[in-house]
Amino acid sequence: MQSAKLINILSIIGLCVLVAACSFKTVYNQLDSLIPAYVEGLVSLDDVLEDRLEQRTEELLNWHRSTQLIRYADWLQEIQVDLYRGITLNDIRLHASNLETFWYSIVLKLNDEMIVLLPLLNSSQREELFESIDEKNADYRNEYIEISDAEKIEQFSERMVDSFENWLGDLDDVQLTLINATAAQLQSHAGLRLQQRIEWQRQIEIILEKAITDDEKTHRLRVFFDEFGKHIRATRSKANQQNRDMLFELTFNILNRISKDQTDYFMTKSSDYIRMLTELSEHR
């Protein structure tokens, strides 16, 4: 859920694959095999397509390692500085904006890879891919849409608590109360996101099924991704503005009653990630 993620300055999970039980560096260094394995779970690949996928995955990871990781490290360092001096609401808005910029950089790069690989799918592979997407959309509907309002509030609360505790450690009762109060006011836009996901799939299917050359399919996919991406960002930004404002205020209120133990927890954890991100960017 790209922009469906609850954006706050303590979340870097949307930027990379983080697995709590494993070393971040170990997981990151395995992405060259994890990404193709994930794709193969969606669609069966022949030898030619598998080779192309591995090649494009390597190029994607080289781009990410050489251009993005150090930006994440700098971002975390800036948050550390702001916490020491006393973070403001405007600081939080700026950090969240930078986080979104990082995320959309990845989205644009993934689009570049998809427009190369999707036209290579044959008819049976396309059918298998869209069946897999249908299944994921059905799971999304069941998990986020066809649930009660109370369950949606519980989801919001659990995700926010997990995110803050991931970076601050244990929260106090006042901080938990602030989170629960905010969760009760957030509006779910899961229906809008599912509608856009279905339209995205439908338009791609139309392009891929046309009796045109692969080069023409690539061109049409590029145009579609560019236009649809702008539409999604505009509509979701408008829909999510109230939620974003409440999340910014929540983050500000929590960080401005942060304890020494929580500050130390964040500084230690963020410093570990800064070190790992820097080492990964330098191929260490």
Side-chain angles (χ1 to χ4, degrees), residues 62 66 138 186:
N62 285 338
S66 62
L186 294 175

PDB file of all heavy atoms in Angstrom, residues 62 66 138 186:
ATOM      1  N   ASN A  62      21.605  -1.829  -7.954  1.00  0.00           N
ATOM      2  CA  ASN A  62      22.803  -0.983  -8.080  1.00  0.00           C
ATOM      3  C   ASN A  62      22.430   0.493  -8.004  1.00  0.00           C
ATOM      4  O   ASN A  62      23.123   1.301  -7.372  1.00  0.00           O
ATOM      5  CB  ASN A  62      23.528  -1.288  -9.389  1.00  0.00           C
ATOM      6  CG  ASN A  62      24.292  -2.597  -9.349  1.00  0.00           C
ATOM      7  OD1 ASN A  62      24.634  -3.085  -8.269  1.00  0.00           O
ATOM      8  ND2 ASN A  62      24.561  -3.161 -10.514  1.00  0.00           N
ATOM      9  N   SER A  66      23.628   2.802  -4.867  1.00  0.00           N
ATOM     10  CA  SER A  66      24.584   3.879  -5.162  1.00  0.00           C
ATOM     11  C   SER A  66      23.987   5.273  -5.037  1.00  0.00           C
ATOM     12  O   SER A  66      24.722   6.246  -4.832  1.00  0.00           O
ATOM     13  CB  SER A  66      25.157   3.695  -6.574  1.00  0.00           C
ATOM     14  OG  SER A  66      24.135   3.778  -7.548  1.00  0.00           O
ATOM     15  N   ALA A 138      -8.317  -9.231  -3.789  1.00  0.00           N
ATOM     16  CA  ALA A 138      -9.350  -9.837  -2.945  1.00  0.00           C
ATOM     17  C   ALA A 138      -8.895  -9.884  -1.491  1.00  0.00           C
ATOM     18  O   ALA A 138      -9.676  -9.597  -0.572  1.00  0.00           O
ATOM     19  CB  ALA A 138      -9.685 -11.243  -3.452  1.00  0.00           C
ATOM     20  N   LEU A 186      -9.080   8.958  12.265  1.00  0.00           N
ATOM     21  CA  LEU A 186      -8.566   8.750  10.912  1.00  0.00           C
ATOM     22  C   LEU A 186      -9.639   8.166  10.003  1.00  0.00           C
ATOM     23  O   LEU A 186     -10.466   7.364  10.431  1.00  0.00           O
ATOM     24  CB  LEU A 186      -7.354   7.815  10.946  1.00  0.00           C
ATOM     25  CG  LEU A 186      -6.102   8.342  11.649  1.00  0.00           C
ATOM     26  CD1 LEU A 186      -5.037   7.258  11.710  1.00  0.00           C
ATOM     27  CD2 LEU A 186      -5.558   9.577  10.943  1.00  0.00           C
TER      28      LEU A 186
END
